[in-house]
Amino acid sequence: MNVSTIKDSRSVRTREALIRTAELLFAEQGYEAVSVNTITREANQNNRNAVQYHFGNKTGLLQAIFDKHSPSVAAKRADLIDALLATTQPVARLLATAIVEPLLDKLTDPDGGEAYLHISAELIASNTLGYSLPHAHPLQIPRETKLATLAAKQLTHLPPEVGQQRILMMNVLAFHGISDHARVRKNRQLDPMIRDTDFMASNLIDSITAMLETPPSSNTLQILKQRQGK
């Protein structure tokens, strides 16, 4: 093995160590609460500038975490949509299933899958993931064209403002529902049904389906009309 190969191998190991450490720290403490210095120290890196060297800054490291997990989630969703479109399943349930099931796979992904769920749940709450304004955010998340196209068609019966907010809310519900379950299922003091993953997943799909199908109330429409009239 030549010197260049050894350096490349060491660089890969350092990147992987920093990503794994950041995943755990961001998941446990929250993205904003964790400093670059803490990540470097916990990853056992002597070079204090390791994060800057490999990722540019903390945002670049966060991007690397999403680059590690998001493409596989998007690919699984696309494949699942293709499979479900060949069935007679209603579009709303098809969409809900495609949103939820690939995230469920992350519960059993030993390489940071659960941490990815917790990080995503935290960031989507503040819309850092940019679901409503994807071009205005520093993080680049794979565009899920099939999912977005089906969602847009499913929500044509709603005013655009209602449909846009429901797309954001169904993603919030999916990430938070599964992220919360990842912690709840480990608490043996809770009711077994609360900790049951299959039951939670089915109920979550039911809830997102209802969110997609339910027409807006007269109160929602009235508020929308009032706001638009200003």
Side-chain angles (χ1 to χ4, degrees):
M1 185 178 293
N2 59 40
V3 174
S4 178
T5 303
I6 292 173
K7 287 183 177 179
D8 289 344
S9 178
R10 186 182 300 131
S11 178
V12 170
R13 290 198 301 271
T14 298
R15 280 181 57 88
E16 291 177 346
L18 290 168
I19 290 172
R20 285 196 302 270
T21 301
E23 282 174 338
L24 293 174
L25 291 174
F26 291 162
E28 291 172 357
Q29 301 178 28
Y31 174 72
E32 294 294 342
V34 179
S35 69
V36 167
N37 288 338
T38 300
I39 295 168
T40 304
R41 183 179 65 251
E42 293 297 318
N44 297 314
Q45 298 301 311
N46 295 324
N47 181 0
R48 294 178 61 184
N49 296 318
V51 170
Q52 288 85 344
Y53 177 79
H54 288 281
F55 305 101
N57 50 34
K58 192 168 78 163
T59 299
L61 178 52
L62 180 64
Q63 180 68 58
I65 293 173
F66 281 100
D67 288 344
K68 175 182 173 181
H69 296 282
S70 297
S72 63
V73 171
K76 287 178 181 177
R77 280 177 172 167
D79 290 343
L80 188 56
I81 287 172
D82 287 340
L84 292 174
L85 282 172
T87 70
T88 58
Q89 192 165 165
V91 175
R93 179 160 292 276
L94 183 158
L95 277 167
T97 303
I99 289 168
V100 169
E101 288 196 357
L103 296 182
L104 289 174
D105 291 344
K106 285 297 177 182
L107 286 173
T108 54
D109 176 4
D111 189 16
E114 185 175 318
Y116 161 76
L117 293 170
H118 297 320
I119 295 166
S120 297
E122 176 202 353
L123 295 180
I124 200 172
S126 60
N127 200 32
T128 305
L129 295 187
Y131 278 94
S132 64
L133 294 171
H135 302 298
H137 294 271
L139 292 177
Q140 300 299 310
I141 308 299
R143 177 67 175 166
E144 299 183 44
T145 306
K146 290 181 181 179
L147 190 69
T149 300
L150 279 175
K153 289 181 178 178
Q154 175 63 31
L155 297 173
T156 54
H157 65 291
L158 301 175
E161 296 82 0
V162 175
Q164 182 183 37
Q165 191 167 71
R166 287 199 184 180
I167 288 174
L168 175 60
M169 288 193 296
M170 71 181 183
N171 279 290
V172 169
L173 180 58
F175 275 111
H176 272 276
I178 299 174
S179 171
D180 292 347
H181 178 74
R183 294 187 170 101
V184 165
R185 66 180 182 155
K186 298 172 185 176
N187 188 342
R188 298 294 177 182
Q189 296 180 344
L190 295 177
D191 187 300
M193 291 309 298
I194 295 295
R195 296 186 287 109
D196 189 287
T197 298
D198 290 339
F199 180 68
M200 178 281 301
S202 183
N203 204 7
L204 181 58
I205 290 171
D206 291 345
S207 299
I208 294 175
T209 300
M211 186 182 295
L212 290 166
E213 292 180 333
T214 303
S217 67
S218 57
N219 187 55
T220 297
L221 294 175
Q222 182 179 1
I223 293 171
L224 177 61
K225 184 178 180 179
Q226 290 172 345
R227 300 296 186 267
Q228 289 175 330
K230 289 184 178 180

